[in-house]
Amino acid sequence: MFDLKQPKHQLALGALALLIILKFIIVPLFDWQNEQLSQLANLQKRASKSQNVIINQTQISKSQQQINAQLKAINSLFISYKSEAEFKLAMQQQIEQTIASKQLQINTSSWLPSLLVANGQLMRHQLRLNIKGSTLNYIKLITLLENTAPKAELKTFNINLNGQNNEQLGRVEGTIELAFYMQQSKSEQTTAMQEAL
């Protein structure tokens, strides 16, 4: 039979006991220790990142303020959402008053078809105007239209000059197309995205 008192059997049992201890106690202990070290390293990285954010908080705040200012400036270029008819009527009245204040005369005015741009986020409304009057007043009008809110983009600019001499700029008759960009409501943007697909 199997005699445990023999040294070779005791040695084999000792080796077996050692292997069992290694397999079920030592190896799991090392695995657990490695896992704990890994978690500790991750926590240290997070703490370091958090520390960097805290240290750079003033720079982050300044950057955020700059971004907000730029975003506000960009959004001021666009008109808040209104119904198309309401916007066109109000804008045409405003443009006609501005033109009259510059002592110019409108021969014709017409709205061109509106187009969705910027992936349906903006609607571009275009107004074509045929204007005549003093060249100096015409230049002042163009400058005023491009520099007042809502911002008008000058898309087309065709003019005929006459009566110029050394003392005056003469008279002008010309056609301009102005584009106005209106932000779309969320429902309008969703509809535009669905139509694009």
Side-chain angles (χ1 to χ4, degrees):
M1 273 237 148
F2 191 67
D3 186 12
L4 295 177
K5 293 186 180 181
Q6 288 184 355
K8 66 178 184 176
H9 293 290
Q10 286 179 349
L11 186 62
L13 282 175
L16 182 62
L18 181 63
L19 289 174
I20 290 174
I21 289 173
L22 284 173
K23 172 74 175 159
F24 295 108
I25 296 175
I26 304 293
V27 170
L29 184 62
F30 279 124
D31 289 344
W32 175 82
Q33 185 180 15
N34 288 336
E35 185 180 319
Q36 294 302 313
L37 289 172
S38 175
Q39 287 178 357
L40 184 60
N42 285 337
L43 288 174
Q44 285 176 334
K45 285 180 186 177
R46 284 182 175 175
S48 175
K49 287 180 182 179
S50 298
Q51 192 76 22
N52 286 337
V53 169
I54 292 169
I55 290 170
N56 296 323
Q57 185 63 38
T58 56
Q59 181 63 32
I60 292 169
S61 295
K62 286 179 185 177
S63 296
Q64 182 66 38
Q65 289 172 351
Q66 289 173 345
I67 289 169
N68 288 340
Q70 290 173 349
L71 187 59
K72 186 176 180 181
I74 289 170
N75 283 334
S76 72
L77 300 175
F78 306 122
I79 299 161
S80 298
Y81 179 76
K82 298 177 186 174
S83 72
E84 189 171 338
E86 177 186 358
F87 164 74
K88 285 182 177 181
L89 178 62
M91 185 54 61
Q92 190 157 351
Q93 288 173 346
Q94 181 181 338
I95 296 286
E96 287 173 357
Q97 288 174 356
T98 303
I99 291 171
S101 74
K102 295 296 177 195
Q103 300 168 352
L104 296 167
Q105 180 183 351
I106 299 175
N107 290 337
T108 60
S109 68
S110 60
W111 285 97
L112 302 174
S114 299
L115 302 170
L116 280 172
V117 294
N119 295 326
Q121 294 180 356
L122 298 172
M123 177 70 75
R124 182 173 67 203
H125 299 288
Q126 295 184 155
L127 177 61
R128 180 180 291 156
L129 298 163
N130 185 283
I131 304 169
K132 67 179 179 177
S134 157
T135 303
L136 184 58
N137 290 343
Y138 198 84
I139 293 168
K140 289 178 182 178
L141 172 70
I142 298 300
T143 304
L144 180 66
L145 289 174
E146 287 188 324
N147 291 317
T148 57
K151 184 89 169 153
E153 178 187 11
L154 188 60
K155 298 294 282 182
T156 304
F157 181 77
N158 296 316
I159 58 171
N160 294 318
L161 297 168
N162 57 40
Q164 295 175 320
N165 58 36
N166 292 341
E167 297 175 10
Q168 62 181 0
L169 294 174
R171 300 193 53 76
V172 66
E173 182 174 343
T175 301
I176 59 173
E177 284 182 16
L178 301 172
F180 302 95
Y181 294 90
M182 180 187 295
Q183 296 174 343
Q184 292 297 286
S185 67
K186 295 296 180 191
S187 62
E188 295 288 334
Q189 288 179 20
T190 303
T191 303
M193 295 280 257
Q194 290 172 347
E195 288 174 359
L197 295 175

